[in-house]
Amino acid sequence: FYTQYSDIQKELEHYDKAKFKDKVIYLPCDRPISNFVAYFKEHYEDYKYKELVYTYIAREENEEVFAYRFDGKKETKTKLRGNGAFQSDECIEIMKRADWVITNPPFSLLFLFLFNSISVLAISAYKSNSVLGMIFSIFVIHFSREKLLSTI
């Protein structure tokens, strides 16, 4: 099951595109054929983000996995050491540098994804806005350390 392009469009139309300007967007569960990847590449001019980074979890034991980076003009890919799992050290480092984390994780990993993401971002976040949006299990996360700490 892949998230439908139309569902992504419907969800993201509720967000102010200006908040993405010059920000790093991370898609931690998305292969190059993902509709999330297609959406953000096609709408680069609307969002004017700094960089789109996406990784995916290996489906097979010895599958090579990559981190892709798109800056609006060109795309590069870097081979990952591990299996691309969002809870791996190298993907956590990408997540820490991201301003936005957007994905529809595999349903079987949904709670692990939420726990991992919130833990990582709560510890490392220094961003100025907070939003958690959801449609089915599509998550859009943009954390603020100040707002998070003020709710504890």
Side-chain angles (χ1 to χ4, degrees):
F1 171 77
Y2 289 101
T3 308
Q4 299 297 307
Y5 191 96
S6 59
D7 290 334
I8 295 166
Q9 254 180 327
K10 287 177 196 171
E11 176 65 20
L12 291 174
E13 71 186 17
H14 299 290
Y15 297 87
D16 180 2
K17 289 177 176 60
K19 293 201 180 269
F20 290 84
K21 187 174 189 223
D22 298 323
K23 303 294 183 187
V24 174
I25 300 170
Y26 178 39
L27 312 175
C29 300
D30 293 277
R31 293 175 174 271
I33 61 167
S34 157
N35 285 320
F36 282 102
V37 172
Y39 178 85
F40 280 106
K41 283 183 169 182
E42 289 171 19
H43 291 89
Y44 173 78
E45 288 300 321
D46 297 332
Y47 289 92
K48 298 207 187 297
Y49 51 81
K50 178 180 180 179
E51 184 178 50
L52 175 67
V53 182
Y54 56 100
T55 59
Y56 54 94
I57 302 167
R59 291 183 180 149
E60 297 176 17
E61 191 173 325
N62 295 321
E63 179 182 355
E64 287 188 331
V65 291
F66 299 89
Y68 293 83
R69 290 177 171 13
F70 177 72
D71 66 4
K73 295 182 182 118
K74 67 177 181 163
E75 181 170 78
T76 59
K77 72 180 189 177
T78 306
K79 187 176 183 298
L80 296 175
R81 293 181 308 277
N83 68 355
F86 53 78
Q87 69 271 36
S88 69
D89 290 343
E90 55 196 336
C91 290
I92 287 172
E93 286 307 311
I94 295 169
M95 188 179 290
K96 286 178 181 178
R97 291 189 303 269
D99 297 291
W100 290 90
V101 177
I102 303 173
T103 196
N104 184 359
F107 190 74
S108 62
L109 300 175
L110 176 62
F111 293 107
L112 178 60
F113 173 79
L114 280 175
F115 178 77
N116 182 77
S117 301
I118 290 171
S119 299
V120 168
L121 295 171
I123 292 167
S124 65
Y126 55 87
K127 318 299 188 245
S128 60
N129 295 310
S130 291
V131 177
L132 172 61
M134 183 174 84
I135 178 172
F136 302 107
S137 60
I138 297 174
F139 289 91
V140 179
I141 305 171
H142 186 206
F143 274 97
S144 163
R145 181 182 198 119
E146 294 77 23
K147 287 184 182 181
L148 183 65
L149 292 177
S150 68
T151 62
I152 296 178

